[in-house]
């Protein structure tokens, strides 16, 4: 009689745990979260397509792994860490902003800044007037001036 009570309590506890386990296992996975994680991961067989955008079977399997891991209670960061551990940083479409990968984020902006400075310097040089105003006409000597006057007079008499 004294063993019956603990056995009943143990059976009830197992039933409650099994029910909770089934409820957690059947927890719905938000497809938006799956799509968001998949959009940050590179498909391993397609060129420059995300797992979300790729129609390949491998990408479909990767989406299934994402769903399984989210259903198991992992966070999106843990799911991404799983793929990074398995494939390396290459799997991320956007490399992390640290270390050598920081160059990928900085170099385009530095190049753009240098290009803008070069354009500004070139525009300034082109728009700058030469010192002393426009070039002065060369001086005409007296003999040339007399010849021009004489030829103009001849044209007027015709």
């Amino acid at each position: 009689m004294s063993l019956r009570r603990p056995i009943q309590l143990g059976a009830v506890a197992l039933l409650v745990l099994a029910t909770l386990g089934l409820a957690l296992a059947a927890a719905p996975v938000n497809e938006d979260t799956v799509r968001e994680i998949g959009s940050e991961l590179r498909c391993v067989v397609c060129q420059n397509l995300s797992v979300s955008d790729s129609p390949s079977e491998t990408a479909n399997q990767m989406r299934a792994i994402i769903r399984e891991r989210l259903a198991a209670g992992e966070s999106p960061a843990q799911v991404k860490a799983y793929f990074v551990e398995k494939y390396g940083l290459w799997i991320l479409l956007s490399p992390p902003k640290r270390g050598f990968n920081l160059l990928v984020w900085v170099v385009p902006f530095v190049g753009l800044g240098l290009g803008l400075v070069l354009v500004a310097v070139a525009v300034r040089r082109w728009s700058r007037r030469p010192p002393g105003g426009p070039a002065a006409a060369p001086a005409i000597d007296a003999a040339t001036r007399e010849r021009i006057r004489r030829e103009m007079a001849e044209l007027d008499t015709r």
Side-chain angles (χ1 to χ4, degrees), residues 79-91:
V79 173
K80 284 189 277 185
Y82 165 76
F83 282 103
V84 168
E85 181 181 319
K86 189 170 183 176
Y87 295 103
L89 286 176
W90 172 86
I91 198 74

Side-chain angles (χ1 to χ4, degrees), residues 2 25 37 44 47 61 70 76 78 92 95 98 104 111 114 117 123 150 152:
S2 65
I37 294 171
V44 294
Q47 287 198 340
Q61 292 171 353
L70 289 174
Q78 289 172 322
L92 297 175
R98 64 176 186 262
V104 173
L114 289 175
V117 168
V123 166
R150 190 179 51 223
M152 294 296 286

Side-chain angles (χ1 to χ4, degrees), residues 20-139:
L20 285 175
L22 288 174
L24 289 175
V29 174
N30 187 353
E31 284 299 315
D32 290 337
T33 306
V34 172
R35 196 171 306 113
E36 182 180 324
I37 294 171
S39 68
E40 296 175 13
L41 298 175
R42 184 185 315 269
C43 177
V44 294
V45 293
C46 302
Q47 287 198 340
N48 294 328
L49 282 180
S50 70
V51 169
S52 293
D53 296 334
S54 174
S56 73
E57 182 59 30
T58 303
N60 193 23
Q61 292 171 353
M62 291 173 77
R63 286 189 294 267
I65 291 171
I66 293 170
R67 272 187 211 97
E68 287 174 10
R69 292 197 165 262
L70 289 174
E74 290 186 11
S75 68
Q78 289 172 322
V79 173
K80 284 189 277 185
Y82 165 76
F83 282 103
V84 168
E85 181 181 319
K86 189 170 183 176
Y87 295 103
L89 286 176
W90 172 86
I91 198 74
L92 297 175
L93 283 173
S94 300
K97 298 174 185 169
R98 64 176 186 262
F100 184 73
N101 293 329
L102 190 60
L103 290 176
V104 173
W105 295 97
V106 172
V107 167
F109 295 109
V110 170
L112 179 65
L114 289 175
L116 289 174
V117 168
L118 287 175
V119 167
V121 168
V123 166
R124 186 178 171 142
R125 280 189 176 182
W126 291 335
S127 64
R128 188 183 306 166
R129 295 177 187 254

